[in-house]
Amino acid sequence: QLASISAQGSDGIPKIAKERDYITFNAKATIAGDSDITPNQVILGNTMAFNSCTKVHDSYECTLRFPQNGTMQFDPRSMPYTVSLRNDANKLVDEKSSNFYIDNKVPVIKKLAVDQSLANSGIIRISYTINDTACSAPSCANECAGVKKIDFYEVGKTFAQTVLVDTPGCIVSGATDIQASKFIDGEHTIAVKAYDRTNLPSIEEAITFDLDKTAPVIDVGSFKIVDDVDVDLKYFGAKTIPVRARVDIDLDMSSVLGDFSQFGGPVNASPSCSISNASTVCVWNFNMKIEEAGLKKATIWAKDDNDNQAKAEINRDMQKDSQGPIIEGLESSRVFDGTSFATLQKNTFYATFRD
């Protein structure tokens, strides 16, 4: 009895050989009452005896290499074959038929996609779908060598990464993650090439992504706390006064928060932002109330559209203004020899104050 037969090329892939290759045929045989099956009892086709038979447990494993030396050219199609088992009297005991396939088709990269939303979080995730087939002949339908590996590389750059797949499947879908730290900011084009298990390479395909790992810039020098006449305040009084805190941020208008609790203002408050001279100007309106003089801290967070985050802690020395203005001088509109004069009506006086 023939328990099984098989054929494979030099790559050792069941049922698959290259256009120029040699074929190894295998048969597992047993004959009741025959304790020594010889190679000439196992026949390929009508006349070609196998090369060797080795006893393994209760059966014989027989092998034939075709051609005996070197390689030969095969047509890319399904190749049917038959193995027969004969007894010592050359009578047919069993016979089995099967096919092997000559693979001359390269794998095809059907789909490439990059998850741009993950790029700036530190991961470049590229998903792919690869199709493989043995040959174009109808007899090769649904047959393939399978996918061995996928190469990812940046042309002209040092980056290269290989994903070992090694699967007999004819359709392979998956994703690979690449560390964003391998790239500088900017646009990158990753070339992709797939190989089947006979090492036939696909046509190179490519995919592009943008990388922005640079956090927004909070211009600490532009920070101001101003009153209703736009005077930058570094002093405070006993009363609560309405103020505006403003700062320039180099980012697309997105997520900005400010903590002005040490100025008596809000915590984690969203500002009103507008674009001015290619920068984002953000303004917080609140009532300033400070109890004690000293160093006060405002904290500002900013996040751009690519989720890069920045934080700035801005210190300002606020001094208490506990004295009212001082009148340094008073004079009328009529001055003679340093002395002011007044009439009974329609007088104008000028006062000079210092604060």
Side-chain angles (χ1 to χ4, degrees):
Q1 295 260 336
L2 288 170
S4 63
I5 63 171
S6 63
Q8 60 190 35
S10 58
D11 293 295
I13 303 167
K15 302 195 301 181
I16 297 294
K18 299 189 286 281
E19 281 187 289
R20 176 157 290 278
D21 211 339
Y22 65 83
I23 313 298
T24 300
F25 296 93
N26 296 287
K28 188 173 183 180
T30 58
I31 299 176
D34 191 340
S35 61
D36 186 16
I37 297 176
T38 58
N40 58 9
Q41 292 178 255
V42 185
I43 308 298
L44 176 67
N46 294 322
T47 59
M48 188 174 294
F50 272 50
N51 299 132
S52 64
C53 287
T54 302
K55 188 172 184 180
V56 178
H57 303 301
D58 294 328
S59 63
Y60 281 81
E61 294 184 0
C62 302
T63 301
L64 167 65
R65 187 190 195 275
F66 178 81
Q68 296 289 322
N69 297 293
T71 59
M72 67 178 292
Q73 190 74 21
F74 295 95
D75 292 332
R77 61 183 178 86
S78 172
M79 307 291 286
Y81 67 97
T82 299
V83 176
S84 59
L85 176 63
R86 298 177 179 272
N87 61 21
D88 292 333
N90 202 30
K91 297 294 184 180
L92 183 65
V93 175
D94 196 7
E95 186 176 77
K96 284 187 181 296
S97 297
S98 189
N99 297 274
F100 64 91
Y101 302 88
I102 303 304
D103 182 4
N104 75 330
K105 293 285 287 182
V106 302
V108 176
I109 299 173
K110 287 288 189 180
K111 171 194 166 186
L112 277 180
V114 64
D115 190 340
Q116 185 66 53
S117 65
L118 289 175
N120 297 297
S121 66
I123 296 173
I124 310 300
R125 178 167 294 164
I126 300 176
S127 57
Y128 53 82
T129 297
I130 298 164
N131 290 11
D132 188 38
T133 186
C135 71
S136 299
S139 60
C140 285
N142 301 318
E143 299 294 339
C144 66
V147 179
K148 180 179 182 180
K149 65 175 183 175
I150 309 167
D151 285 343
F152 299 84
Y153 51 95
E154 190 169 17
V155 177
K157 303 293 178 65
T158 58
F159 167 74
Q161 184 167 308
T162 296
V163 175
L164 296 176
V165 182
D166 197 20
T167 176
C170 298
I171 300 176
V172 176
S173 295
T176 187
D177 288 347
I178 304 168
Q179 294 301 312
S181 58
K182 298 178 183 290
F183 306 97
I184 61 173
D185 278 13
E187 184 177 271
H188 296 270
T189 298
I190 301 299
V192 183
K193 189 177 286 188
Y195 293 79
D196 72 10
R197 294 199 295 165
T198 67
N199 283 319
L200 284 175
S202 71
I203 295 173
E204 180 184 277
E205 301 289 348
I207 192 164
T208 300
F209 65 90
D210 288 311
L211 188 62
D212 175 12
K213 299 181 287 185
T214 302
V217 176
I218 300 173
D219 185 0
V220 174
S222 71
F223 179 74
K224 292 181 179 180
I225 295 181
V226 298
D227 60 13
D228 56 355
V229 292
D230 215 32
V231 174
D232 191 11
L233 300 176
K234 296 183 180 178
Y235 292 86
F236 65 94
K239 293 183 178 181
T240 299
I241 60 169
V243 297
R244 289 181 294 119
R246 57 154 289 169
V247 70
D248 294 350
I249 303 175
D250 179 20
L251 86 164
D252 294 332
M253 211 179 307
S254 184
S255 177
V256 182
L257 293 174
D259 179 355
F260 301 96
S261 56
Q262 294 192 17
F263 295 85
V267 179
N268 296 336
S270 297
S272 172
C273 295
S274 60
I275 301 295
S276 175
N277 298 323
S279 290
T280 301
V281 179
C282 294
V283 177
W284 291 261
N285 292 289
F286 60 92
N287 293 320
M288 185 174 74
K289 176 65 174 175
I290 300 176
E291 300 295 336
E292 296 181 357
L295 209 61
K296 307 299 176 183
K297 180 175 70 176
T299 304
I300 297 172
W301 296 269
K303 183 170 65 174
D304 65 16
D305 290 339
N306 290 319
D307 210 33
N308 296 307
Q309 299 187 34
K311 176 183 176 181
E313 294 182 343
I314 305 170
N315 293 311
R316 171 162 290 203
D317 189 11
M318 300 295 291
Q319 297 301 314
K320 187 171 185 178
D321 183 359
S322 58
Q323 294 184 349
I326 298 171
I327 301 175
E328 292 193 328
L330 181 67
E331 61 182 23
S332 73
S333 59
R334 296 179 177 86
V335 179
F336 178 75
D337 197 21
T339 302
S340 292
F341 293 90
T343 62
L344 293 176
Q345 57 185 355
K346 295 183 178 180
N347 292 291
T348 302
F349 291 90
Y350 300 94
T352 302
F353 294 90
R354 176 175 60 84
D355 188 23

Tab-separated table of all heavy atoms in Angstrom, residues 127 250 265 311 344:
chain	number	residue	atom	x	y	z
A	127	SER	N	0.150	48.653	7.342
A	127	SER	CA	-0.631	47.441	7.085
A	127	SER	C	-0.483	47.055	5.619
A	127	SER	O	-0.234	47.908	4.760
A	127	SER	CB	-2.092	47.652	7.450
A	127	SER	OG	-2.640	48.752	6.753
A	250	ASP	N	3.596	78.969	19.065
A	250	ASP	CA	3.852	78.570	17.682
A	250	ASP	C	3.233	77.203	17.428
A	250	ASP	O	3.864	76.170	17.594
A	250	ASP	CB	5.367	78.538	17.420
A	250	ASP	CG	5.678	78.103	16.005
A	250	ASP	OD1	4.782	78.193	15.155
A	250	ASP	OD2	6.811	77.667	15.754
A	265	GLY	N	-6.581	83.699	39.548
A	265	GLY	CA	-7.339	83.398	38.345
A	265	GLY	C	-7.747	81.938	38.259
A	265	GLY	O	-7.666	81.182	39.230
A	311	LYS	N	4.823	72.406	27.644
A	311	LYS	CA	4.415	72.991	28.915
A	311	LYS	C	5.404	74.088	29.276
A	311	LYS	O	6.613	73.916	29.145
A	311	LYS	CB	4.397	71.921	30.011
A	311	LYS	CG	4.079	72.456	31.412
A	311	LYS	CD	4.158	71.342	32.442
A	311	LYS	CE	3.932	71.863	33.855
A	311	LYS	NZ	4.033	70.788	34.871
A	344	LEU	N	-11.790	135.359	39.799
A	344	LEU	CA	-13.014	134.932	40.452
A	344	LEU	C	-13.748	133.858	39.674
A	344	LEU	O	-14.571	133.131	40.215
A	344	LEU	CB	-13.942	136.163	40.670
A	344	LEU	CG	-13.430	137.200	41.665
A	344	LEU	CD1	-14.373	138.403	41.711
A	344	LEU	CD2	-13.305	136.582	43.050
